[in-house]
């Protein structure tokens, strides 16, 4: 099951990369694949996926010919590695779905900082550096929202329990839990204590 999930995440990420490459080669959907891998599989697998996607997608950002392993590829790879790692660190501790968007935002800011530093070191124009940093931030934010939207589909299809799903199940505003509180308070209290112990 885990291998199927990983294969599907990589396939969807590559399809997104194809779409992003048409828009702008500097836009990368690596955040989407890294965040989903972290939430559905584990942090260690997500770090490996982060490195693999950064290496492969940096080649696309570099273009072709003499610029294939040039400065554009190096900046793209560094920003993707930092973006992915920052996203993993925040997403791993997130218990609510809204916090996952914050993890993508943190990753985008970290990646934009790397792009800005690289642009200063390589003496790019301020205009191109700011546009590139903006693309990195916007891609990370948009793709984290897309990831949060798709997360419940992945959870239901593969029957995976994530911290966000557990948090939703423990919400006391659920009609069944409210009914249980009123009609069987002893059973409700016993169930909550057992759940806390578990």
């Amino acid at each position: 099951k885990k291998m199927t999930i990983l294969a599907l995440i990589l396939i969807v990420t590559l399809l997104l990369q194809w779409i992003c490459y048409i828009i702008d080669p500097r836009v990368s959907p690596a955040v989407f694949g890294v965040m989903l891998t972290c939430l559905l599989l584990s942090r260690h697998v997500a770090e490996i996926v982060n490195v693999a996607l950064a290496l492969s997608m940096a080649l696309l950002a570099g273009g072709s010919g003499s610029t294939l392993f040039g400065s554009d590829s190096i900046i793209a790879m560094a920003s993707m590695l930092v973006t992915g790692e920052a996203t993993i660190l925040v997403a791993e501790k997130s218990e609510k779905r809204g916090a996952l968007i914050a993890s993508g935002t943190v990753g985008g800011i970290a990646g934009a900082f790397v792009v800005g530093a690289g642009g200063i070191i390589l003496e790019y124009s301020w205009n191109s550096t700011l546009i590139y940093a903006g693309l990195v931030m916007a891609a990370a934010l948009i793709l984290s929202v897309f990831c949060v939207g798709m997360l419940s589909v992945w959870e239901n299809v593969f029957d995976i329990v994530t911290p966000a799903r557990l948090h939703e199940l423990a919400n006391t505003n659920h009609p069944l839990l409210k009914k249980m509180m009123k009609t069987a308070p002893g059973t409700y209290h016993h169930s909550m204590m057992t759940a806390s112990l578990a």
Side-chain angles (χ1 to χ4, degrees), residues 121-141:
I121 292 168
L122 296 170
E123 297 178 356
Y124 287 174
S125 68
W126 281 105
N127 191 27
S128 62
T129 303
L130 289 175
I131 289 171
Y132 194 176
L135 285 172
V136 169
M137 283 182 62
L141 179 60

Side-chain angles (χ1 to χ4, degrees), residues 50-66:
N50 183 31
V51 173
L53 290 176
L55 289 172
S56 60
M57 293 179 186
L59 295 177
L60 291 175
S64 59
S66 60

Side-chain angles (χ1 to χ4, degrees), residues 7 11 24 35-37 51-52 68 75 80 87 97 99 104 109 128 139 154:
I11 289 168
D24 192 318
M35 188 183 292
L36 269 182
T37 306
V51 173
L68 188 59
I75 289 176
M80 280 185 264
T87 303
R97 294 187 195 276
I109 291 169
S128 62
W154 289 84

Side-chain angles (χ1 to χ4, degrees), residues 22-42:
I22 293 170
I23 297 168
D24 192 318
R26 298 172 293 184
V27 177
S28 169
V31 170
F32 173 80
V34 168
M35 188 183 292
L36 269 182
T37 306
C38 180
L39 295 171
L40 299 175
L41 298 173
S42 72

